[in-house]
Every structure is written in C-alpha cells, then in structure tokens.
C-alpha cells in the first residue's frame, strides 16, 4: 500500500528493481522521487545508503526540484565497490509547517502569541531529541535555548522575536535534528558500485600483428608482428595517457572461407584473414595465433602493460570460423540450414562467410560453461577487461548469467559492450551487467544531435549504461572524418574526451587515416581487419604529422580535472551559431567549460551564453577561465564572444579558476 506520506516514481530503478542501478565508487548519483501529501502541511525526505556490509550511511536530505512540482532529489556517493541499496524516508515536518505559518501570520498580526507558543513547543521537542554523547549537542542546546528565550520574551517586538526564530544558526540546528511525524520508508532499492575504471578510462585499440610487422623490400615478404614487437608500442600508448590497450582477437584465424584484402573472397596464400574469424586446426578461443607467440609471450606483454599503468582488454567474440574445433566437437552449437550447411554470419548488406554465429538454444548449458571456462582462462593470464563483440546477437539471459558468474568471484573484471543496435537492446545489456557500452557517438556530429545525445547519456540512460565514446573503430570511419581534414580529427577527439568519462581511439587516428574503401562506405581502404598495416610512427612524429601530442594533452586534462571523470554532471549551454557546441561539467569546485567549432572547414565566431547557476557562479559575476589547450586566460561572464578557427584550435577546454 501507499505509505502515509506517498513516495512514488523512485529513480534510479532498473527493471522494477530486479537489476541494480549503475553506480561507481566516488561518483555521486541522483536519487529522485515524487513526495507529497494531502493538505498544506510541509514534509521532509532523505536518502539513506546501505553499503555492501549492511552499514547504514548518514542520511542525505532531499531537496525540491525547482522546476517539477513535488519532485525531490538527493545526490549520494558510494565509497566502496559492491552491492549497495538505498532507502527513501519521508515524513510530515512540523518544524517546516510552523516556520511557514509563522512567517505569514506573525507579520500580519494574526494569532501572534499562539504562533510563538507553538514554536516554543516545537523547540522543546527538538531539544529533547539531542544526544548528550554528541559533541555538537552543547552548541545546539545553546542555540535552542536562546531561541526559546526569544519566543518567550513578550517585551521584544514581535518582528524581533520572529527574526530570532529565523536566524541561520537556529535553522542549521533544526535541519540537523528534524522532527519526523508519520514516517514512511520506501525501499530498499539496489545499486551496484563498480571500481572507478568502469566509469573513467581512456582506450587505445591496436592489432598486435601490425605492430612491428616488416616487409622485405627485395622479396615483398610480409612478416607479422608479435606480442614481443607489439610490446614496444605500449610505451607510446602509455605516453599518450591511455590506460586501457584493447586487442582485437588474438586467436588462430580460420583458413576455410578466409577473407582477402578489403573483404574480398579470393585471398592469396599469404593473406592473413580477419582476426574475428576465430579458430583453425591450430586451436580456438583458448589458443594464441602462432604468429603472435606463446602464452609466455602474452604474459610478458600483459606484464609490460601493467608496468606502464595499462590494463589489457581482450576481445571476446563468440563466433567461429568454419574450421574452428567447435564445429567438429560441438556442431549443435551452430545453426544448420535446410540444405545441411551451417549458416554464416550476416549483417545486411555485410556478409561474413568466414564466420559461423553460435546458436545458444540447442545446448545452452554446454556453451555457457565453455564460454565461462574461456573467460576464466584469460583472466588467469592477467586480463581484467573484455571488449565483447556484438553481444546483441546473443541472448540477453546468457550475458546476465555469465556476468553474474564472473562478478560473483571477480567483481573487478569489466566488460565493454560493442552493440551498435536498437536502444532497448543497448540499455538491456547495460542493465544486466555490462560495465560500459559503445554508443551512437560516432554518428552524432551536428550541434543539436550532440546536445541531445550528451543529455541522453548523462541524465536519461545513466542508470542503465555507461558510454564509451570511441572516435573511430576498424569498421567505422564516418564521412565527417573522411572529408573533414585534420581539424575534424581534433574536433571529434575533443568532444569525446570531455563529453564522456570513457573514450577510445583506434590506431591510425593520430595519423589522420581517412580514406574509405569506396564512396559512401564507412570501411577503411585496406582495412586492418583483413590485412596487416605497417605504420611509420617515428617518421610521423618527427615530421609533425601526428595528432599524438593533442591526444596526450586531452588525456592530461582529463586526469587533472575530476569533473571530466564523471558522467552525470553535464550541462548544455547556448551559442548563437549552429556550429558552436557549448557544454560544461562540474564536480565540487572543479568546473570545465567546453566550446567546440563543429565546422572543420571554416572559422566561426559567435556569442556563447552560460547558465551561471550550473557553473556555481553568481549572477552577473565575472570569472577567469584558463584554456587548457593554449594556456590563455580570459575574464568571462554570462555572455562571451568566441572565435574558433579549425586550422588553429577548433576547441576551447576552459577550467574555471576564480572570480574577480
């Protein structure tokens, strides 16, 4: 039944409370509810967090939403990983009810002494609730007794007596010691707090077979890179400030129906095939491609990464090449068509003849246990992060089971969902346990759609999924990057690195790789999915043809500013130009304003208009902003002129330093 004080429409609430809401150690999250009652008496409400050990944390008072009637909100912060709950308590508030009535009646000369008598009775009740063991009791007692004397002092003017009962020190005591009548408690509601890396991370993706690969200039023979040669690239990745290095599948690649360059069907004898066509006579998901090395080599690679402060994320692609050992040992794990052949993967218009998707319905227990075995195998080799390929093509119930099994014993292991699909599926995968999710960010390039998307991921779906803004992937090269020139790469990196606490870059981005296989396609020409790509990093750096210094600076800014390490703190501001995006993020005293010219071809100048309340700045107050990219300082206020030239710097990343 509804409580005596109704508490309704509670958020965050996932799947009617069957799944925990997303939370992260150290990140505040909002608890909201509609709290109301009959009549005109006032009420109060608060949120109590209960930590994974069952300890109740101090209550956090809810405040009314200024824009939505009866809506209340409190921000609470878990400080340890694990399963938390929260409760909402609401009550009739006789103190606030009296304060409201006294503030109206006494100045009007209505029931003056009666109001003071009632006020005195309320103060006596508060005084009786004080704990003598509390060090703050003595000071609170002094304040309350002074207020009682004022209420009783009929020699003073009524206005002076009322002022004493409205004094700030008394209001603080009354707020700290509320009188709760008709107490109603709703909950508990679940939330799960993951380690900070689940929210804040900077990803860099590369193919280890390309790093350190060589081609003999005389014979043209291509020699694959290995874990030993790829490990040499880790220093540069760490130097750019990334903290997760993501490897596409490292397993043996199928030989049957192997793809050639640019996804062709006629590979040559030396073509390497797609790493996502997993499995051959050399092994499956629990094996390493022999060109990359051995498990000892992999362990050394992971060890080197850890030394540099990098975590290794491994691709978990639950599919098989036609010659994967599973096809022979467990044919029931695949779908057989009417003609007796096994169905290969399709995502029209794309066809993947070299990949068999797994059927989870014929032997669900068998495939579940096999996948869990594989995940735990790689966990035993130091992998604590998995990037999951196309999870939306597998049953949600399977993922829920797998992620709960892993969380039960290893709650620090993280899973990134690569599901570019319908919102309901993306949200469901996040709700059942995926820690991060790829997003539609790659396809959000205009001002209005970026504004809407920043609000969506930070306020509307934040309890379900955490976004990871990848600027590119091996098979997503947006037209904006194809035709926008180097400025487009800066623009997208600046938005991704500041708009989301997690972001990612696929290797070659810093070299401005932008040529598609054909007009209208988002596939790279000579895609690294199908062939080894040799890059001359050193020459690009030496000749100044690399975006690496800019990416490095972005990651430095992210680490220096707690505001950029959170998700739920985005405020979209305004500009007079349809190509100037303005938003800010704040965390306590740290406030960052981002202003970006979305036009990679032309300078734009306009006026930006700021919501000063969101910045923690007073009305009409001037303040200093520091450009974290250029080092310049300006004095800003509510309305500010900006000019951004994409051939110089297309974005301001401004930290609010102090007022003047």
């Amino acid at each position: 039944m509804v409580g005596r004080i109704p508490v309704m429409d509670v958020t965050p609430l996932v799947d009617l409370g069957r799944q925990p809401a997303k939370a992260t150690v150290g990140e505040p999250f909002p608890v909201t509810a509609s709290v109301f009652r009959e009549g005109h008496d006032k009420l109060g409400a608060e949120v109590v967090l209960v930590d994974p050990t069952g300890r109740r944390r101090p209550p956090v008072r809810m405040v009314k939403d200024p824009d939505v009637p009866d809506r209340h909100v409190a921000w609470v912060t878990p400080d340890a990983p694990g399963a938390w709950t929260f409760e909402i308590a609401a009550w009739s508030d006789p103190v606030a009810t009296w304060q409201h009535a006294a503030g109206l009646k006494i100045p009007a000369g209505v029931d003056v002494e009666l109001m003071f008598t009632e006020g005195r009775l309320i103060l006596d009740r508060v005084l009786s609730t004080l704990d003598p063991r509390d060090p703050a009791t003595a000071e609170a007692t002094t304040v309350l007794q002074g207020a009682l004397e004022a209420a009783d002092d009929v020699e003073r003017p009524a206005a002076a007596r009322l002022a004493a009962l409205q004094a700030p020190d008394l209001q603080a005591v009354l707020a700290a010691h509320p009188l709760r009548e008709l107490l109603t408690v709703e909950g508990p509601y679940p939330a799960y707090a993951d380690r900070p890396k689940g929210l804040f991370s900077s990803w860099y993706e590369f193919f280890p077979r390309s790093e350190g690969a060589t081609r003999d200039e005389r014979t043209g023979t291509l020699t694959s890179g290995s874990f030993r040669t790829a490990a040499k690239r880790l220093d540069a990745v760490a130097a750019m400030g990334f903290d997760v290095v993501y490897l596409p599948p490292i397993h043996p690649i199928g030989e049957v129906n192997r793809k050639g360059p640019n996804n062709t069907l006629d590979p040559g004898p030396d073509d390497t095939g797609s790493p996502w066509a997993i499995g051959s006579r050399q092994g499956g998901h629990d094996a390493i491609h022999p060109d990359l090395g051995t498990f000892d080599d992999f362990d050394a690679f992971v060890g080197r990464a850890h030394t540099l402060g990098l975590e290794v994320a491994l691709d978990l692609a639950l599919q098989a090449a036609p010659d994967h050992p599973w096809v022979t040992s467990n044919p029931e794990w695949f779908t057989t068509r009417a003609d007796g052949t096994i169905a290969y993967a399709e995502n029209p218009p794309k066809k993947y003849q070299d990949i068999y998707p797994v059927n989870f319905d014929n032997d669900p227990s068998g495939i579940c246990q096999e996948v869990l075995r594989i995940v735990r195998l790689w966990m035993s080799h130091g992998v604590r992060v998995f990037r999951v390929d196309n999870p939306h093509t597998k049953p949600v119930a399977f993922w829920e089971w797998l992620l709960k099994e892993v969380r039960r014993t290893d709650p620090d292991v993280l899973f990134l969902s690569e599901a570019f699909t319908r919102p309901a599926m993306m949200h469901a995968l996040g709700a059942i346990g995926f820690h991060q999710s790829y997003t539609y960010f790659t396809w959000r390039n205009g001002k209005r759609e970026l504004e809407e998307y920043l609000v969506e991921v930070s306020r509307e779906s934040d309890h379900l999924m955490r976004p990871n803004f990848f600027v590119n992937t091996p098979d997503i090269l947006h037209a904006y990057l194809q035709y926008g020139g180097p400025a487009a790469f800066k623009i997208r990196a600046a938005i991704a690195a500041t708009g989301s606490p997690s972001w990612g870059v696929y290797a070659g981005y810093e070299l401005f790789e932008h040529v598609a296989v054909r007009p209208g396609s988002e596939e790279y020409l000579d895609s690294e999915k199908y062939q080894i790509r040799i890059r001359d990093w050193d020459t690009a750096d030496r000749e100044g043809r690399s975006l690496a210094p800019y990416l490095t600076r972005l990651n430095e800014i992210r680490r220096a500013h707690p505001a950029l390490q959170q998700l739920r703190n985005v405020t979209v501001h305004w500009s007079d130009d349809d190509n100037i995006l303005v938003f800010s993020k704040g965390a306590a005293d740290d406030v960052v304003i981002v202003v970006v010219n979305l036009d990679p071809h032309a300078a734009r100048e306009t006026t930006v208009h700021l919501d000063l309340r969101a910045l923690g700045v007073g009305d009409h107050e001037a303040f200093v902003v520091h450009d974290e990219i250029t080092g310049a300082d300006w004095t800003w206020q509510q309305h500010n002129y900006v000019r951004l030239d994409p051939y110089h710097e297309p974005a301001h990343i401004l930290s609010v330093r102090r007022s003047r």
Side-chain angles (χ1 to χ4, degrees), residues 50-235:
V50 182
D51 72 17
T53 69
R55 185 162 63 98
R56 299 175 68 83
R57 297 304 177 86
V60 178
R61 192 71 176 260
M62 303 185 84
V63 298
K64 295 189 70 172
D65 186 319
D67 301 318
V68 183
D70 297 322
R71 199 69 183 160
H72 291 66
V73 61
W75 288 79
V76 294
T77 307
D79 56 13
W84 291 69
T85 60
F86 64 89
E87 299 173 354
I88 298 178
W91 61 88
S92 178
D93 187 344
V95 173
T97 299
W98 177 85
Q99 289 172 326
H100 176 72
L104 295 175
K105 288 187 174 182
I106 292 175
V110 177
D111 297 334
V112 172
E113 290 306 319
L114 176 60
M115 295 309 303
F116 282 123
T117 299
E118 291 179 347
R120 184 172 62 253
L121 294 174
I122 287 173
L123 296 177
D124 281 332
R125 288 179 60 189
V126 175
L127 193 60
S128 69
T129 67
L130 300 183
D131 184 352
R133 297 167 298 181
D134 187 342
T137 291
E139 181 179 352
T141 299
T142 300
V143 172
L144 287 167
Q145 288 176 340
L148 284 167
E149 292 176 3
D152 285 336
D153 189 355
V154 295
E155 299 299 321
R156 298 190 199 182
R161 296 162 69 189
L162 178 61
L165 298 183
Q166 295 174 333
D169 58 344
L170 177 62
Q171 300 309 308
V173 170
L174 296 176
H177 303 278
L179 297 178
R180 298 177 174 89
E181 296 179 346
L182 309 178
L183 182 65
T184 300
V185 178
E186 295 291 347
Y189 303 100
Y192 195 95
D194 293 300
R195 64 183 174 113
K197 186 63 70 70
L199 173 69
F200 176 64
S201 55
S202 302
W203 291 54
Y204 187 91
E205 175 182 2
F206 72 67
F207 288 72
R209 69 182 185 182
S210 291
E211 299 303 331
T214 59
R215 185 182 297 277
D216 188 294
E217 294 183 0
R218 183 177 60 86
T219 65
T221 301
L222 184 65
T223 301
S224 171
S226 66
F227 286 127
R228 291 186 179 184
T229 60
K232 299 175 183 178
R233 179 66 181 157
L234 293 175
D235 291 79

Side-chain angles (χ1 to χ4, degrees), residues 209-498:
R209 69 182 185 182
S210 291
E211 299 303 331
T214 59
R215 185 182 297 277
D216 188 294
E217 294 183 0
R218 183 177 60 86
T219 65
T221 301
L222 184 65
T223 301
S224 171
S226 66
F227 286 127
R228 291 186 179 184
T229 60
K232 299 175 183 178
R233 179 66 181 157
L234 293 175
D235 291 79
V237 174
M240 286 187 285
F242 294 98
D243 51 29
V244 178
V245 57
Y246 154 48
L247 307 181
I250 60 174
H251 316 296
I253 296 172
E255 299 173 3
V256 176
N257 296 341
R258 176 172 286 190
K259 293 295 186 73
N262 294 311
N263 200 22
T264 55
L265 301 176
D266 52 349
D270 297 325
D271 286 327
T272 53
S274 168
W276 282 274
I278 298 170
S280 73
R281 54 190 170 83
Q282 296 163 325
H285 288 72
D286 53 1
I288 291 175
H289 195 294
D291 287 351
L292 296 178
T294 65
F295 271 95
D296 286 341
D297 295 327
F298 179 75
D299 292 343
F301 179 91
V302 173
R304 178 59 181 162
H306 289 173
T307 299
L308 294 169
L310 294 163
E311 293 198 43
V312 174
L314 202 60
D315 197 290
L316 180 63
L318 299 184
Q319 56 212 28
D323 41 339
H324 191 295
W326 286 349
V327 178
T328 301
S329 66
N330 295 86
E332 69 276 11
W333 291 353
F334 304 95
T335 298
T336 301
R337 306 181 70 180
D339 61 359
T341 61
I342 294 178
Y344 60 76
E346 295 184 75
N347 183 17
K350 298 177 182 179
K351 294 185 177 182
Y352 305 97
Q353 296 90 337
D354 54 341
I355 293 174
Y356 289 168
V358 173
N359 185 320
F360 284 79
D361 295 325
N362 295 333
D363 178 21
S365 177
I367 190 64
C368 285
Q369 292 302 322
E370 173 68 354
V371 174
L372 181 60
R373 180 188 71 83
I374 290 167
V375 169
R376 293 203 183 281
L377 168 68
W378 294 107
M379 288 166 52
S380 72
H381 286 274
V383 176
R384 314 305 287 176
V385 185
F386 291 89
R387 179 268 195 190
V388 179
D389 189 68
N390 290 328
H392 58 292
T393 61
K394 289 81 179 174
V396 173
F398 160 74
W399 292 118
E400 181 178 13
W401 173 84
L402 178 69
L403 271 57
K404 284 185 176 178
E405 282 296 302
V406 174
R407 174 175 277 178
R408 182 173 55 83
T409 58
D410 296 85
D412 63 310
V413 174
L414 306 176
F415 291 83
L416 166 65
S417 165
E418 186 247 5
F420 297 111
T421 185
R422 302 179 305 279
M425 175 61 82
M426 295 174 69
H427 293 165
L429 291 167
I432 55 88
F434 276 92
H435 302 81
Q436 293 184 11
S437 303
Y438 282 77
T439 69
Y440 301 137
F441 171 74
T442 319
W443 299 280
R444 300 293 187 266
N445 294 279
K447 177 183 175 180
R448 178 62 60 85
E449 59 190 6
L450 278 166
E451 290 175 340
E452 293 175 350
Y453 203 54
L454 287 171
V455 171
E456 177 184 329
V457 299
S458 65
R459 298 183 193 172
E460 298 170 7
S461 61
D462 55 292
H463 61 302
L464 299 169
M465 57 174 265
R466 301 187 189 96
N468 190 321
F469 281 3
F470 264 78
V471 291
N472 65 332
T473 75
D475 51 4
I476 303 177
L477 173 65
H478 193 275
Y480 188 89
L481 296 178
Q482 294 178 34
Y483 303 109
F489 285 73
K490 270 191 168 184
I491 291 166
R492 295 299 291 172
I495 299 171
T498 58

Side-chain angles (χ1 to χ4, degrees), residues 506-529:
Y506 157 54
Y509 190 87
E510 61 268 54
L511 300 185
F512 309 105
E513 293 177 359
H514 65 282
V515 181
V517 66
R518 69 184 66 88
S521 173
E522 292 185 344
E523 293 271 0
Y524 282 87
L525 177 65
D526 299 329
S527 170
E528 203 170 358
K529 291 192 300 179

